Amino acid sequence: MAAGNDGAKTPEDDDPFGYLYADGQAAGAQPPQGGGYGYPGPMSQPGVPRTSYHQVRTVGERQYGAQAQQSPVPQQQGYGQPHPQYAAPETYPGGPGGPGAQRPGVPPQQQPGGHGGGSGRGPNTRGLLIGAVAVVAVVVIGITAAVISNRGDKTDDAGGGGTTTPTSAPSQDVSEAPTTVPSTDTTAETELPKQDAATLKLGGSAVLAKDVKGAEGGDGAYVSGFNQPGASVTWKAKMPKGGQYHLTVRYAIPAVDANATLTVNGTANSQPIGLKNFVNSSDPNLEKNWQTTWAPVDLKEGENEIKISCEAGNQCNVLLDWLEVTVPKS
């Protein structure tokens, strides 16, 4: 076969897509009028070349889903006119990504435009929002409780009720606390001498006796016979410290005042020691008239000689029980 141009309808010039280009349109190419890819076309007739080697459609002609079922064979549009299907899918209601589009695998309440997704947020965004709101609510509740508790404490403090526990005063600093200077006077802490008269050195007519009850000396002994001049008792008292003291004497009289001479370290007191009826007894029974008296004495540290004697001019009808050195009362 000789090569050459045998006409516009020869197989070599039969370009099924010629109508899509300007040179094909100039050569008289026309878009197919029926059939196409996936649909049956017109029956071939003897001597008439095929219009397409492939069953194709014009760009944008194919329909999907429910639209294809409603209109199996769409109407052809003129060349150069935009087809309604040649548009972005998201621009159609219900289309993929478009307004009202349903997302596969997402519950209806979380679909865009539904009850749970009207704002377009996904389930994760909604969960984060709920969590943030919960955290804020907990913080607000905690602050409110703290404020209420603080107000309650202030009310109790301001009320001044009887059940309010008073606060203790701040403790004084140790450096400011007054220091107690230990007393140098150890006389009160040291046992001062005390002696039974019956154990003392007796002189003159003084003798021991046990006839009268009530004496506190050892075995109830006391000094009697003291009613004669020259009678005496002498005591060697050892003092831890020198100073002014009292000499206390326990005695008994027949309800009549008596007295005696007191001599300390060889010096007689200017005043006799009074052995008076301080109990104001009228009963001469000696047993009922035991009592005490005291006289001031100046003693030195160490041993002191204390002597009680019946001298001329003294009224010495008395029984002596014991002698004791005591600290003067302030």
Side-chain angles (χ1 to χ4, degrees):
M1 177 182 292
N5 187 0
D6 295 333
K9 297 299 182 179
T10 57
E12 61 268 19
D13 293 331
D14 190 6
D15 186 359
F17 301 99
Y19 66 94
L20 298 176
Y21 309 101
D23 55 347
Q25 296 175 9
Q30 296 294 327
Q33 299 299 317
Y37 182 78
Y39 295 92
M43 298 296 295
S44 298
Q45 297 181 6
V48 178
R50 294 176 300 177
T51 59
S52 175
Y53 292 105
H54 305 282
Q55 300 297 324
V56 298
R57 291 181 178 275
T58 307
V59 176
E61 178 180 345
R62 182 173 179 81
Q63 297 182 357
Y64 301 88
Q67 294 181 354
Q69 296 176 2
Q70 295 175 2
S71 179
V73 182
Q75 297 181 358
Q76 296 291 335
Q77 299 292 329
Y79 180 79
Q81 296 181 1
H83 195 277
Q85 289 297 330
Y86 189 71
E90 59 269 20
T91 59
Y92 293 93
Q102 299 295 318
R103 298 180 180 178
V106 180
Q109 63 272 18
Q110 297 181 1
Q111 291 288 351
H115 297 289
S119 60
R121 287 188 292 268
N124 293 336
T125 304
R126 186 167 182 265
L128 292 176
L129 178 61
I130 294 175
V133 172
V135 171
V136 172
V138 170
V139 172
V140 171
I141 292 174
I143 294 175
T144 304
V147 171
I148 293 176
S149 176
N150 190 26
R151 289 180 178 177
D153 293 342
K154 292 182 177 179
T155 302
D156 293 341
D157 294 341
T163 58
T164 302
T165 302
T167 56
S168 59
S171 60
Q172 189 178 17
D173 188 76
V174 176
S175 61
E176 298 179 1
T179 57
T180 302
V181 179
S183 175
T184 57
D185 185 6
T186 59
T187 304
E189 300 176 0
T190 304
E191 185 178 359
L192 296 179
K194 180 180 179 180
Q195 192 78 25
D196 291 341
T199 62
L200 300 180
K201 180 182 178 180
L202 305 181
S205 60
V207 294
L208 296 180
K210 298 180 181 178
D211 300 335
V212 178
K213 304 299 181 183
E216 296 177 356
D219 197 23
Y222 56 89
V223 175
S224 180
F226 202 74
N227 55 352
Q228 299 293 325
S232 67
V233 293
T234 303
W235 181 25
K236 299 290 185 178
K238 188 174 183 179
M239 300 298 299
K241 181 180 179 181
Q244 293 290 329
Y245 294 92
H246 288 173
L247 177 64
T248 302
V249 179
R250 188 173 189 262
Y251 63 97
I253 54 176
V256 178
D257 290 344
N259 56 49
T261 299
L262 176 61
T263 302
V264 177
N265 294 325
T267 303
N269 283 6
S270 58
Q271 296 293 330
I273 182 172
L275 305 172
K276 296 183 179 181
N277 183 17
F278 292 110
V279 297
N280 297 318
S281 175
S282 59
D283 188 349
N285 187 352
L286 295 173
E287 185 178 338
K288 298 180 179 179
N289 293 308
W290 290 104
Q291 51 196 301
T292 59
T293 188
W294 62 268
V297 290
D298 187 7
L299 303 178
K300 64 181 181 180
E301 182 179 354
E303 189 176 80
N304 294 265
E305 183 181 87
I306 301 173
K307 179 180 178 181
I308 299 177
S309 61
C310 182
E311 304 295 337
N314 293 140
Q315 304 293 327
C316 307
N317 191 10
V318 62
L319 305 179
L320 298 178
D321 189 11
W322 50 254
L323 283 70
E324 182 181 14
V325 176
T326 60
V327 177
K329 295 181 180 179
S330 58

